[in-house]
Amino acid sequence: MGFRGEVDGNDGQERRVSGNAHSRAVVGRCMKTMFLFAAPLALIACSEAPVSNDADVDVAAPTNVGQPEGMPTEPSPPPPAEEPVVNAPEPAIGETQGGDGSEIALAPLQPDDAADLPGELACGFRLADARQSLMIARADVGDDARGVAVIRNGGYAERLMARSAGGFGAMERGIAFGGRGMTVTIDRGERRSGGESPAYAATLLAQRADGAERRYQGLWTCGP
């Protein structure tokens, strides 16, 4: 009995030892299996982890915030076209400058104002859009001849004498005429028409003795 009991005790101990070994083997296999499944998951988790170091990563800010995906960006509007510079035409009648403040106002001549002017040939100044002349002058042909002109100033016809000799040729090219407190100078420009009595662009400058002056833009026409 004692030996069997000892044998039985030994057998029970061996079975416990064997059982423990079998349990450890099973646990070991389970740990290996869990490791094999857990390792890929750990790698995936590491690869998807966000980068926390902002200093090492340069992420450009989106430029189309608030715009639906797939929609083309709106092009920038073209720069406004520069408007061409257009020089305003010079007024036919300028304002009176200087003097006592009163206006210089030359009026169109009446039919009889130049009826008795001496001279073979004549010249006349008129505004480009007018039919009547503001001044008519006449002169003979010859270097010693002087032209005579008439203007209507302040409601009255006033005669002027050429400041220099030269006859009709000098008068045609543009000349100054003087009278009582008034000087009128013709500055002739480019030719505007042909024929026997060509018209030239011209400026008439009226100057008063008190320093006042006024310019008129028009045409200077000379001929028979």
Side-chain angles (χ1 to χ4, degrees), residues 28-44:
R29 287 195 297 272
C30 291
M31 292 295 293
K32 290 180 179 180
T33 302
M34 291 177 62
F35 177 77
L36 291 176
F37 280 100
L41 294 176
L43 291 175
I44 294 173

Side-chain angles (χ1 to χ4, degrees), residues 125-216:
F125 178 88
R126 64 179 176 84
L127 301 179
D129 57 351
R131 299 177 67 99
Q132 293 176 282
S133 297
L134 292 182
M135 183 177 76
I136 292 178
R138 298 187 71 91
D140 293 328
V141 177
D143 294 339
D144 297 331
R146 286 177 177 265
V148 180
V150 61
I151 59 173
R152 180 165 283 271
N153 180 33
Y156 298 95
E158 182 179 340
R159 287 201 176 188
L160 308 173
M161 182 68 68
R163 293 287 192 184
S164 59
F168 174 78
M171 185 176 67
E172 183 183 26
R173 293 187 296 270
I175 198 171
F177 297 87
R180 295 178 300 175
M182 178 71 72
T183 299
V184 175
T185 304
I186 297 294
D187 183 12
R188 194 184 75 173
E190 62 183 10
R191 187 168 179 167
R192 293 295 179 85
S193 67
E196 189 177 6
S197 300
Y200 292 84
T203 300
L204 183 151
L205 173 62
Q207 296 173 298
R208 205 165 55 201
D210 65 353
E213 64 179 38
R214 190 172 190 177
R215 285 178 169 82
Y216 296 80

Side-chain angles (χ1 to χ4, degrees), residues 28-124:
R29 287 195 297 272
C30 291
M31 292 295 293
K32 290 180 179 180
T33 302
M34 291 177 62
F35 177 77
L36 291 176
F37 280 100
L41 294 176
L43 291 175
I44 294 173
C46 291
S47 64
E48 293 181 353
V51 179
S52 60
N53 191 355
D54 295 335
D56 296 336
V57 179
D58 186 11
V59 180
T63 58
N64 57 346
V65 177
Q67 183 174 359
E69 294 187 11
M71 294 293 292
T73 58
E74 184 178 354
S76 301
E82 295 184 0
E83 297 183 359
V85 177
V86 178
N87 294 327
E90 192 171 358
I93 302 175
E95 296 183 356
T96 302
Q97 305 291 332
D100 60 5
S102 59
E103 290 287 331
I104 296 176
L106 300 184
L109 294 172
Q110 300 298 318
D112 297 335
D113 290 341
D116 58 348
L117 285 179
E120 302 174 38
L121 301 173
C123 293

